[in-house]
């Protein structure tokens, strides 16, 4: 039996508390240190996990020999500096999304991790969701035929952030899934949004992604909306799928619907027949995605294999976010992505 992996968590706020709880519950990990610059937040977390040392200084955590891996759940603006410091201290790192707020910063982190052979994993939580995994398997088996387009909705009335807009706060989730299903980066991105509540922080953003071969995706994110929606609609040439994470158990519905081309072509319209077949609700595991994600990180630190959502995946999402932000600031003109590449 090998020793449990020693972990330190930086940022014990709303989401950090969930990560702390999940990592602490894993049998092959041990929470060694907690760090937050906010003393009140830190003491709340420390009270629940007295076995971990508490500090307001990241230097203390990085100097500790019993902390082999660091979990960064501080606000997004801090990610770059904290991840860089942790990697340079020789730690493996899990960082919440987004990996960084600038493409060059994300590239630098990927490079440091690669050169120092450290594990760098980004918290693109949905890729660990059993529903998204089932959807990916359907796409890989060819059940849906050719993928035509995807649209997603991530809206609710919720936490209004001051330091990042709804694009950077919510869209990493949607974008990570879309890139994963399409296995490609978009050619260009157009985004429009509005800041209704405070200064220039957009509360609602509509995002349009254009891929090679005519595929496209649309993302709607907002924290100023009467509905709570967490939904993807995927349209393929053979079938269509809806993944609705607000459903308690029937999260995936596969629609055997489409438009087929007929045999005897008289006119173009006659050749198209609408097919409206059965709806299948596959059984999917109800395991908590966050726990699966945390276990994945611990497993990759142990076996040194590449994580499903490694640094390159984090960088691909940051590239789309940066192009979307540039589009947002220029009134919605499509902004091309640099170096389109397959991301797997
Ligand atoms: N995966 C998800 O579904 C999900 C959900 C919510 C938030 N998040 C991500 O988690 C991160 C944190 O979000 P949150 O809602 O918990 O924010 P939050 O503001 O509630 O918490 C952030 C904490 O980080 C601390 N902090 C900031 N700078 C620090 C530093 N230099 N060193 C140590 N601590 C520092 C703050 O004091 C605060 O307690 C963000 O990146 C966010 O995008 C992910």
């Amino acid at each position: 039996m090998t020793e449990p992996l020693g972990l330190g968590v930086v940022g014990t706020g709303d989401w950090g508390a969930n990560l702390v709880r999940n990592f602490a519950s894993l049998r092959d990990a041990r929470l060694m240190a907690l760090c937050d610059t906010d003393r009140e937040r830190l003491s709340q977390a420390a009270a629940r996990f007295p076995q971990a040392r508490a500090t307001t200084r990241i230097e203390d955590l990085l100097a500790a020999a019993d902390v082999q891996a660091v979990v960064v759940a501080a606000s997004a603006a801090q990610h770059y500096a904290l991840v860089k410091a942790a990697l340079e201290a020789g730690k493996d790192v899990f960082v919440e999304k987004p990996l960084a707020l600038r493409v060059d910063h994300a590239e630098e982190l990927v490079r440091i991790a690669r050169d120092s052979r450290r594990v760098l994993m980004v918290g693109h939580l949905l890729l660990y969701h059993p529903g998204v995994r089932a959807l990916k398997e359907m796409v890989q088996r060819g059940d849906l035929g050719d993928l035509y387009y995807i649209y997603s909705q991530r809206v609710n009335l919720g936490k209004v952030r001051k330091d990042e807009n709804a694009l950077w706060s919510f869209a990493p989730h949607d974008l990570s899934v879309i890139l994963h299903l399409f296995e490609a980066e978009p050619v260009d991105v157009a985004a429009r949004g509005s800041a209704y509540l405070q200064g220039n922080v957009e509360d609602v953003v509509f995002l349009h992604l254009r891929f090679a071969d005519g595929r496209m995706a649309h993302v709607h994110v907002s924290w100023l909306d009467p509905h709570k929606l967490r939904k993807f609609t995927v349209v393929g040439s053979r079938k269509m799928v809806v993944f609705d994470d607000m459903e308690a158990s029937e999260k995936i519905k596969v629609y055997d619907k489409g438009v087929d081309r007929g045999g005897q072509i008289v006119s173009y319209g006659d050749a198209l027949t609408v097919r409206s077949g059965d709806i299948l609700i596959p059984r999917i595991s109800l395991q908590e995605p966050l726990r699966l994600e945390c276990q994945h990180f611990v497993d990759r630190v142990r076996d040194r294999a590449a994580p499903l959502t490694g640094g390159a995946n984090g960088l691909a999402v940051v590239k789309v976010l940066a192009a979307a932000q540039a589009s947002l600031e220029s009134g919605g003109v499509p902004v091309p992505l640099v170096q389109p590449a397959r991301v797997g």
Side-chain angles (χ1 to χ4, degrees):
M1 180 76 183
T2 46
E3 281 285 295
L5 176 72
L7 289 169
V9 178
V10 183
T12 59
D14 293 342
W15 191 251
N18 292 329
L19 287 164
V20 168
R21 173 175 53 81
N22 269 278
F23 276 115
S25 74
L26 300 181
R27 267 199 303 169
D28 46 358
R30 188 164 296 157
L31 207 54
M32 295 298 185
L34 297 170
C35 171
D36 201 300
T37 43
D38 181 322
R39 286 183 189 280
E40 205 177 309
R41 286 268 170 102
L42 181 63
S43 59
Q44 282 166 6
R48 281 193 295 275
F49 298 94
Q51 74 276 23
R53 300 184 299 278
T55 175
T56 54
R57 289 166 27 93
I58 186 164
E59 295 79 8
D60 298 341
L61 185 141
L62 296 183
D66 60 2
V67 172
Q68 288 125 40
V70 172
V71 174
V72 175
S75 21
Q78 306 294 323
H79 288 183
Y80 164 69
L82 293 172
V83 172
K84 187 173 178 201
L87 290 171
E88 287 177 346
K91 313 293 182 187
D92 295 309
V93 178
F94 170 96
V95 56
E96 259 313 323
K97 52 81 192 166
L99 170 59
L101 296 183
R102 284 171 37 178
V103 173
D104 59 338
H105 282 172
E107 283 171 341
E108 187 185 345
L109 296 176
V110 171
R111 196 170 50 246
I112 296 172
R114 189 191 54 224
D115 293 350
S116 58
R117 296 177 187 275
R118 293 297 96 198
V119 173
L120 173 60
M121 175 168 151
V122 184
H124 290 157
L125 178 63
L126 280 181
L127 298 204
Y128 300 92
H129 194 303
V132 173
R133 291 201 149 188
L135 187 50
K136 176 72 177 173
E137 284 164 19
M138 281 177 227
V139 171
Q140 282 174 324
R141 281 196 305 267
D143 295 359
L144 310 190
D146 296 329
L147 290 191
Y148 285 159
Y149 69 94
I150 301 174
Y151 66 93
S152 70
Q153 298 145 292
R154 185 166 307 278
V155 303
N156 60 284
L157 195 63
K159 183 168 176 174
V160 178
R161 290 182 186 266
K162 293 190 186 68
D163 52 353
E164 59 179 347
N165 60 18
L167 170 73
W168 288 85
S169 180
F170 286 161
H173 292 301
D174 307 85
L175 296 173
S176 64
V177 172
I178 290 165
L179 302 190
H180 185 56
L181 294 179
F182 276 162
E183 293 190 1
E185 291 179 4
V187 177
D188 61 32
V189 184
R192 279 179 182 267
S194 281
Y196 296 107
L197 301 179
Q198 38 174 0
N200 52 4
V201 181
E202 286 81 5
D203 313 293
V204 52
V205 177
F206 296 91
L207 191 60
H208 188 84
L209 286 71
R210 208 167 55 86
F211 290 78
D213 312 329
R215 292 178 296 170
M216 65 175 181
H218 182 88
V219 177
H220 174 196
V221 287
S222 171
W223 52 55
L224 186 59
D225 197 285
H227 310 286
K228 179 159 185 177
L229 297 175
R230 299 281 182 270
K231 204 169 181 176
F232 288 85
T233 302
V234 182
V235 174
S237 57
R238 290 184 53 209
K239 289 184 182 170
M240 305 176 183
V241 179
V242 174
F243 167 57
D244 184 350
D245 207 9
M246 294 311 295
E247 284 281 342
S249 58
E250 298 179 352
K251 289 182 184 285
I252 288 210
K253 294 195 174 80
V254 185
Y255 294 82
D256 185 10
K257 290 187 177 198
V259 178
D260 299 328
R261 295 198 187 282
Q264 271 273 302
I265 299 174
V266 182
S267 71
Y268 189 71
D270 291 343
L272 300 175
T273 29
V274 173
R275 175 173 36 79
S276 192
D278 293 338
I279 300 169
L280 175 79
I281 302 174
R283 187 190 298 276
I284 57 162
S285 150
L286 293 177
Q287 284 173 288
E288 190 187 354
L290 186 55
R291 189 181 167 87
L292 295 172
E293 181 184 59
C294 294
Q295 184 66 58
H296 186 84
F297 177 62
V298 172
D299 292 345
R300 295 300 75 83
V301 170
R302 287 206 181 288
D303 66 14
R304 315 306 294 171
L308 174 64
T309 55
N313 186 248
L315 168 62
V317 169
V318 171
K319 279 165 71 179
V320 181
L321 290 167
Q325 182 66 35
S327 174
L328 206 54
E329 287 167 12
S330 61
V333 294
V335 172
L337 250 79
V338 243
Q339 301 163 342
R342 293 180 73 82
V343 289

